[in-house]
Structures are given as structure tokens and as C-alpha cells.
Amino acid sequence: MKMKEQYCKYSLIIILLILGVIVFIRIIPFLTGLMGAATIYVLVRKQMFYLTQKKNVRHTMAAVLMLLEAALCFLIPLSLVVWLLVEKIQNLNLDPQAYIKTIEDIARLVELKTGYNVLNSENISFIASFIPKVGQFIVGNMSNLVVNIFVMLFVLFFMLLKGKEMETYCYDILPFKTTHKERILNKISLMVRSNAIGIPLVAIVQGGVATIGYFIFDAPNPILFGFLSCFASVVPMVGIGLIWAPVVAYMFLTGNWHHAIGLLIYSGIITSTIDNLIRFLLQKKLANIHPLITIFGVIIGLSLFGFMGIIFGPLLLSIFLLCFDIFKQEYLSDDQ
């Protein structure tokens, strides 16, 4: 390669890297919406192609129908959940002094039962000072959620309009052999479908089972803790125990022994194990993802992508392992 060609090539690479970093940094606030659009596109692309290629529906009309489907299946349920949570939070008393008294009562119960003063007045004031900030944080993120929903719908519309061209372009720039390209794209599609369908389904079922237990054993505010249990089910390792364990402890401390023991047994045996049964039933339909990939993928994804990291974290880790396997086959195999 001539010196001038090398100069042009590497200069272009440097320009692409610099501009790519700048664009990525500026687009970070909208990353959730972009990844949401990519997820929904993977889920509905076959329907889009069926309408446009088999039924000869105009691309614009088919894209609008897919957006309506996404709104009915994803956005409306999500909006209802957010609305219910916000309504619950608005009805809470965010007066720090009220919570200080409640925490002091619990601390006295702990000291009475165990003999240890786990909280002093300074610690109680420090913890209670964060309570109003939690409400402010949630309300402050509502606007970001609304913006990302509009970004998701806007981007998804154009992805659906130019789906074939977009897929062909991505296929052409992948730096792999044809067989490996097919393997990676199939892996991405399967992983996105598995996480986008499997994780919310497990969360809904597990949260529903937990809510039933809260009602049966007379737990405080069972609907709110049921919603929180749905979200906690995606937390690696701890999972739904992050919610029911403090509820059981509170019921023990307040003297509701019989219901506390019942909820402890119910949550430990039924609520905490129902997710394994659901995943076992879904394995034939969805990707059989190793538990370690799911755990570490969610940990990595939540720190990188926020809520959408639940889906894209395991995907990122799986693609890394797949690329490593391809590298091993291409360059480290004894057959080469």
C-alpha cells in the first residue's frame, strides 16, 4: 500500500473514532430509547416483513401498525405500572420527622428483642434525610423516561421503514466470514427475544405470586410491595428476597409472628423458586442462557445501560464469548 493510501486510510479511521466517541457521549441520555427501539424491532421484524412482502401492505402503514402494537403490548402496561407507583409514592408521607419516629420505634423493637441498639439518633437522622431525595429522584427521572419513550417510537418507526436496508448494511460491515455472521446475528436475535420476553415474564409471574403471599399473610401495603417485587426479581443473586425479607423482618418485630412465619415459608419455598420453574418451561422456546452469563451480564448491563441493561448486559457478555470462540476457531485452532 502506498504512503498516501495508508495516510488516507488511517486518517479516516482516526476521524471515525473521534467523531464516534463524540456522538456516543452526546447520545448517552437517549441510549435507553435507542436500545428499546432495537429490542422491539427484533421482536416485530418478522411481522413487518410478513405485512409488506406477503400481504403487500405499504411500508408506512405497516410501520404504524407495528408502533400501535408496541404501544399496546409494551408502553401502555409500562405506563400503568409507572403511574401506579407514582400514585403510591405521592400518597406516602415524605416528612422526615414522621419516618424518624417510625425508625425509632423499629429500633426500640430490635433492641427489645435482641438487646442491641442497632441505630442511634445520628444514624436515624442520616437515613431519614435520604427519604425526600428518593422521591425527588423518581419524579426527576419521569421526564427522562417520557423523552426516551418518544425517542424509541421515533427511531423504531424509521427502523421499520428501512429494515431490510439496515440489516443488509449491518451484515456487510461485520468483520467475519459469512458462516460466522449468520451465527452472530442468530445469537443476537435469540438473546434479545429470550431476555425481552423471558425476563419480564418471570418478573410478572414472580411478582404476582409474591403479591398473593402478601395478601394471604396480611403484609403491610401488599400491592406496593408486589410491584417492588416485580422489579427486584431482576436483581442478580439477591432477587425478590430484597423485598420479602425486610417485610418478614418487620412483621416479626411488630409481633405478627404467625403471619411472619407463614410469609417466610411461602416466600422461601414458593416465591423464590417459581422463577426456576418458569425458566425451565421456557428453555425450549427461548435461548438456554447459562445462569452465570445472566448474573454477570445484568450486573454489567445495569451499570452501563441502566434499566435496558437487563436485556443488553447478558447479550453483550454472550457476544463477547461468541467472538472469542470465533477467534479461537479462526486463529488458535490446530487445524489452521
Side-chain angles (χ1 to χ4, degrees), residues 37-45 49 156 159-160 163 166-167:
T39 301
I40 296 177
Y41 175 81
V42 172
L43 295 176
V44 303
R45 60 182 293 275
F49 295 154
L156 178 61
M159 290 178 73
L160 290 170
M166 179 188 67
E167 291 183 21

Side-chain angles (χ1 to χ4, degrees), residues 36-332:
T39 301
I40 296 177
Y41 175 81
V42 172
L43 295 176
V44 303
R45 60 182 293 275
K46 290 185 178 179
Q47 300 177 48
M48 181 69 183
F49 295 154
Y50 175 79
L51 290 175
T52 55
Q53 296 176 6
K54 300 291 184 180
K55 296 298 182 180
N56 295 320
V57 178
R58 293 176 58 188
H59 281 74
T60 304
M61 181 61 67
V64 170
L65 290 175
M66 293 299 100
L67 288 180
L68 291 175
E69 179 183 346
L72 290 173
C73 296
F74 301 104
L75 298 182
I76 292 178
L78 178 62
S79 301
L80 287 175
V81 170
V82 172
W83 177 76
L84 288 172
L85 285 175
V86 170
E87 185 182 30
K88 288 288 183 181
I89 292 171
Q90 287 177 342
N91 292 331
L92 292 177
N93 180 14
L94 295 180
D95 181 12
Q97 296 301 319
Y99 283 94
I100 289 174
K101 184 179 184 306
T102 302
I103 297 172
E104 286 176 341
D105 292 339
I106 295 174
R108 281 195 292 269
L109 282 172
V110 173
E111 187 175 5
L112 181 64
K113 301 293 183 181
T114 64
Y116 294 99
N117 184 14
V118 294
L119 294 175
N120 56 43
S121 58
E122 293 181 359
N123 291 336
I124 292 172
S125 299
F126 178 76
I127 294 172
S129 66
F130 281 97
I131 294 174
K133 296 179 181 178
V134 172
Q136 294 172 4
F137 173 80
I138 293 174
V139 174
N141 277 272
M142 288 298 103
S143 59
N144 186 49
L145 175 63
V146 172
V147 170
N148 273 282
I149 288 176
F150 279 108
V151 169
M152 182 184 70
L153 293 175
F154 183 76
V155 173
L156 178 61
F157 178 76
F158 287 99
M159 290 178 73
L160 290 170
L161 281 181
K162 300 294 182 179
K164 277 292 184 182
E165 293 89 338
M166 179 188 67
E167 291 183 21
T168 302
Y169 182 83
C170 293
Y171 185 87
D172 290 338
I173 64 174
L174 286 176
F176 306 107
K177 294 180 180 179
T178 302
T179 54
H180 294 321
K181 288 182 180 182
E182 296 290 343
R183 185 179 171 192
I184 286 180
L185 292 176
N186 289 335
K187 184 74 172 180
I188 291 174
S189 178
L190 191 60
M191 285 286 296
V192 170
R193 288 179 178 275
S194 177
N195 289 325
I197 297 174
I199 291 176
L201 182 60
V202 170
I204 291 171
V205 173
Q206 198 171 23
V209 172
T211 304
I212 293 172
Y214 297 145
F215 274 108
I216 292 175
F217 297 104
D218 198 25
N221 213 332
I223 296 179
L224 177 60
F225 285 118
F227 275 120
L228 294 177
S229 296
C230 288
F231 293 103
S233 66
V234 303
V235 178
M237 301 177 69
V238 180
I240 204 168
L242 193 65
I243 304 300
W244 66 256
V247 173
V248 169
Y250 175 81
M251 293 171 68
F252 266 114
L253 292 173
T254 54
N256 195 359
W257 290 84
H258 295 89
H259 284 157
I261 294 173
L263 183 59
L264 176 63
I265 296 172
Y266 177 90
S267 300
I269 296 176
I270 299 177
T271 305
S272 297
T273 58
I274 191 69
D275 61 327
N276 294 324
L277 176 61
I278 300 171
R279 288 190 177 95
F280 175 77
L281 295 174
L282 291 175
Q283 274 183 355
K284 293 181 179 179
K285 296 290 185 181
L286 304 175
N288 187 12
I289 308 169
H290 194 281
L292 288 178
I293 293 178
T294 301
I295 292 172
F296 287 104
V298 170
I299 293 173
I300 295 170
L302 288 174
S303 62
L304 288 175
F305 309 120
F307 180 74
M308 290 303 295
I310 295 171
I311 296 174
F312 286 92
L315 175 62
L316 180 66
L317 189 55
S318 295
I319 297 303
F320 167 76
L321 295 175
L322 181 58
C323 289
F324 184 83
D325 184 58
I326 292 173
F327 177 81
K328 176 178 176 297
Q329 292 178 18
E330 290 292 326
Y331 303 106
L332 302 180

